[in-house]
Amino acid sequence: MPDRMKKQAAQNREAAKQLRRRGKDDEAQRLEDRAVELESGRVTDVTDTVSGLISWGFRR
């Protein structure tokens, strides 16, 4: 799993903790579910591909 995805999963979990403290359990659960999905490997990181396409487009 790329470092970007690990970092995002960690950020999602931290945000979920903050939301739970505020009593927003449903939103926190969604963030935790997304973190699990990121860590599972089912999500493809296409950041580099999209960035390359944008750069290519601006060069033309």
Side-chain angles (χ1 to χ4, degrees):
M1 169 174 32
D3 288 336
R4 283 184 216 134
M5 295 174 84
K6 288 180 187 177
K7 183 178 177 183
Q8 185 60 50
Q11 289 174 344
N12 283 6
R13 291 189 191 285
E14 186 59 37
K17 287 179 190 176
Q18 297 295 327
L19 287 171
R20 285 207 191 283
R21 288 184 194 136
R22 296 179 190 157
K24 298 182 178 184
D25 292 334
D26 291 337
E27 293 176 39
Q29 186 61 47
R30 281 194 291 273
L31 283 175
E32 288 174 353
D33 291 344
R34 180 64 177 160
V36 169
E37 191 174 5
L38 287 170
E39 292 171 340
S40 73
R42 292 179 294 186
V43 178
T44 305
D45 184 11
V46 294
T47 305
D48 295 332
T49 304
V50 171
S51 179
L53 288 171
I54 291 170
S55 295
W56 175 81
F58 279 120
R59 284 190 300 256
R60 292 189 120 281

